Amino acid sequence: MWLAAASSPWLGAVFCLLILSVIARIYRAIRWAPIASAGLDPSRRFGGRDRAAVFSRAGARCERHSLLFGRCKETEKLHADHVHPHSKGGSTTIANGQVLCSRHNKQKAARIPFNWELRRLEKHRASYFPAGDSATVVRRAS
């Protein structure tokens, strides 16, 4: 196996990416184990008031930002979603809520965002959140 990877640079690159992917998954599992094992919030769904607050802060528009095209333009089929997934220990609070269209919600799934992704989201939120609302994401309410 290793000899085949060494003989072709493309195969060697794919092999290295596979190894890096496995290492990243192991790191994330170890890094987030304390939060995920702390127990789940008893409420998984956003209640009426919390859901309305999450939608109004986002201007009833998907909050997904791409590197090339900016913020998603979708205003229909929106979901109130947890930034840090409920299944991974995230709290069901307004501070951990975001609005995503159905496409981006399925794409995100139950993935835990990296800290740099949260900082990027907070930076983008500052441009469209109402004045006085905090753009900070709180993974787990204490």
Side-chain angles (χ1 to χ4, degrees), residues 61-77:
R61 186 172 150 200
C62 180
E63 290 191 76
R64 175 70 180 212
H65 293 83
S66 71
L67 294 174
L68 295 177
F69 304 111
R71 187 172 174 197
C72 177
K73 307 276 190 249
E74 188 65 52
T75 58
E76 296 179 3
K77 298 181 184 175

Side-chain angles (χ1 to χ4, degrees), residues 51 55 60-62 74-80 99-101:
R51 181 177 161 82
F55 272 74
R61 186 172 150 200
C62 180
E74 188 65 52
T75 58
E76 296 179 3
K77 298 181 184 175
L78 299 175
H79 300 242
V99 176
L100 292 178
C101 62

Side-chain angles (χ1 to χ4, degrees), residues 1 3 11 13 19 22 47 54 58 79 84 101-102 105 107 114 130:
M1 170 79 176
L3 291 176
L11 198 54
I19 296 296
V22 169
V54 170
H79 300 242
H84 186 103
C101 62
S102 59
N105 194 15
Q107 186 180 49
F114 288 107

Side-chain angles (χ1 to χ4, degrees), residues 47-122:
R49 288 184 186 157
D50 289 347
R51 181 177 161 82
V54 170
F55 272 74
S56 70
R57 289 185 332 160
R61 186 172 150 200
C62 180
E63 290 191 76
R64 175 70 180 212
H65 293 83
S66 71
L67 294 174
L68 295 177
F69 304 111
R71 187 172 174 197
C72 177
K73 307 276 190 249
E74 188 65 52
T75 58
E76 296 179 3
K77 298 181 184 175
L78 299 175
H79 300 242
D81 181 54
H82 297 82
V83 177
H84 186 103
H86 179 267
S87 62
K88 309 284 185 179
S91 62
T92 305
T93 59
I94 296 171
N96 189 38
Q98 68 179 343
V99 176
L100 292 178
C101 62
S102 59
R103 181 177 136 229
H104 288 129
N105 194 15
K106 287 177 188 174
Q107 186 180 49
K108 178 185 170 277
R111 193 179 70 76
I112 299 172
F114 288 107
N115 288 332
W116 68 266
E117 291 173 301
L118 295 180
R119 287 190 301 270
R120 185 171 167 250
L121 176 62
E122 290 169 359

